[in-house]
Amino acid sequence: MDIRGGVELPAIREDIELHTSDGLTLVGELAMPLSGTPIATLVTLHPLPTHGGFMDSHIIRKAAARLPALADIAVLRFNFRGVESPRGRSDGSFGDGIDEAEDLAAAMVFVAERGLPDPWLLGWSFGTEVALKYGQRHPIAGVILLSPPLHRAKDSDVAAWADATVPVVAIIPELDDYLRPVEAAQRFAVAPNIELVNVEAGKHLWVGETQTYRVLTEIVARVNSAALPLPTTWE
């Protein structure tokens, strides 16, 4: 079987709920390797809810569908406040990247309670803003930023990572709608420790199997490089 599109590989999948300090219940899913002992954990932060982002946004959904089996990585995904998906609707309403700080905090409490190892924040678009603004409040193993727009996250938010003791990588699409490689180099210069990966012909939404495979490869290269190269078929 070719691994592409909506293929879902074997994993232990559990519908979960997160509970925020301001009284909301967020819906989500935890996908674990069949062994039950992941090498590391991805805490995924989805794109902008007002533009269709949710826990099933395709890169996040495919990470959960593939990486527990291919790379022994646990994947936690959830809907930010006020966001609905087939899994259900999270309480509350869109917080414009401010109240979502509480959503991230609830996810990290869940990670700690479950004893999930080496949590990496994986933000995509709007999710990168949440990671940059609030990620340092939590014990994390690293940060991966997909298509960071640096809209709500200001230069001061980026500069705050200049002394980070964990790896931070920004994956920049060559043809991004919001932040392309030249501008990204300028904006991230305030934190030269942040690794910039420019993806030729990449686009903000990473549509197509070629771009999906490239993004998942970049993720696994940081989180569990021993699992590379990612297979493209499954028996």
Side-chain angles (χ1 to χ4, degrees):
M1 178 177 63
D2 290 339
I3 302 172
R4 58 186 305 112
V7 167
E8 187 176 275
L9 300 179
I12 302 169
R13 305 183 194 281
E14 176 188 357
D15 287 343
I16 58 98
E17 292 183 346
L18 308 177
H19 302 284
T20 70
S21 63
D22 55 348
L24 303 183
T25 297
L26 313 178
V27 300
E29 180 201 76
L30 176 64
M32 295 273 285
L34 291 179
S35 67
T37 54
I39 294 291
T41 306
L42 291 178
V43 178
T44 63
L45 306 171
H46 65 67
L48 188 62
T50 57
H51 287 65
F54 61 158
M55 63 180 276
D56 286 330
S57 292
H58 84 102
I59 291 293
I60 291 174
R61 175 174 50 81
K62 290 168 184 173
R66 303 182 191 184
L67 297 188
L70 298 182
D72 289 323
I73 295 172
V75 180
L76 173 62
R77 58 193 179 115
F78 63 95
N79 287 328
F80 283 126
R81 57 186 58 210
V83 177
E84 185 172 7
S85 73
R87 166 68 183 91
R89 185 183 185 279
S90 291
D91 292 344
S93 57
F94 178 55
D96 201 29
I98 299 172
D99 296 336
E100 283 78 9
E102 302 300 332
D103 302 351
L104 172 56
M108 297 308 297
V109 168
F110 180 89
V111 167
E113 290 176 344
R114 288 295 185 94
L116 297 171
D118 292 340
W120 283 71
L121 300 184
L122 172 64
W124 180 11
S125 193
F126 172 75
T128 69
E129 315 271 44
V130 176
L132 285 169
K133 289 166 68 71
Y134 312 116
Q136 291 196 71
R137 299 179 182 180
H138 307 286
I140 56 175
V143 181
I144 300 170
L145 308 170
L146 303 180
S147 310
L150 296 187
H151 173 53
R152 290 170 178 83
K154 306 302 182 184
D155 290 347
S156 59
D157 296 312
V158 177
W161 291 88
D163 296 323
T165 58
V166 299
V168 182
V169 57
I171 302 176
I172 311 296
E174 179 190 20
L175 304 177
D176 200 308
D177 300 316
Y178 305 103
L179 188 77
R180 295 191 176 189
V182 172
E183 185 185 0
Q186 297 169 347
R187 295 290 304 278
F188 280 103
V190 295
N193 56 306
I194 295 179
E195 179 188 3
L196 301 183
V197 177
N198 299 327
V199 177
E200 184 178 356
K203 296 184 179 180
H204 190 77
L205 297 181
W206 305 106
V207 174
E209 184 57 35
T210 298
Q211 293 195 28
T212 295
Y213 186 85
R214 173 66 185 275
V215 168
L216 295 182
T217 294
E218 294 291 349
I219 292 167
V220 173
R222 275 76 190 175
V223 179
N224 182 16
S225 61
L228 294 179
L230 293 176
T232 58
T233 61
W234 183 266
E235 296 183 3

